[in-house]
Amino acid sequence: MVSEEFEGREIRVVSFDDATSDEHVIEFVDPAVSPVESVVVVFNGGSNWHEARVSISPKLDGVSAEFLIWALGVARRMT
């Protein structure tokens, strides 16, 4: 787990390979929203970035476009 800064907030970034789905998973946890649950999750099971998918926590009303763009940039750097 690493931390990245978004608009002055420390966002925890958890990156791992899911053995059950053969996907690389990158979770973004914002302690200001929830200290233990992911806000955004990026899944990439393919050999290139075009196959990546994004999931936003169903417990949220949504996330800002700026946060999503930032998270995708971080995820792209990590893949």
Side-chain angles (χ1 to χ4, degrees):
M1 178 178 66
V2 298
S3 293
E4 296 273 344
E5 186 175 315
F6 173 76
E7 294 186 350
R9 297 190 324 258
E10 187 174 311
I11 308 298
R12 292 193 309 259
V13 182
V14 182
S15 176
F16 61 93
D17 292 320
D18 184 348
T20 62
S21 67
D22 285 336
E23 292 180 309
H24 186 75
V25 179
I26 303 170
E27 296 183 353
F28 294 85
V29 179
D30 183 351
V33 175
S34 172
V36 294
E37 295 182 23
S38 300
V39 174
V40 171
V41 179
V42 179
F43 304 89
N44 191 355
S47 59
N48 62 53
W49 183 250
H50 298 289
E51 297 177 29
R53 296 175 293 122
V54 174
S55 177
I56 298 171
S57 172
K59 294 181 180 179
L60 300 177
D61 189 28
V63 297
S64 73
E66 283 299 316
F67 183 85
L68 188 55
I69 291 167
W70 171 83
L72 290 172
V74 172
R76 190 171 216 168
R77 268 195 343 252
M78 296 179 82
T79 55

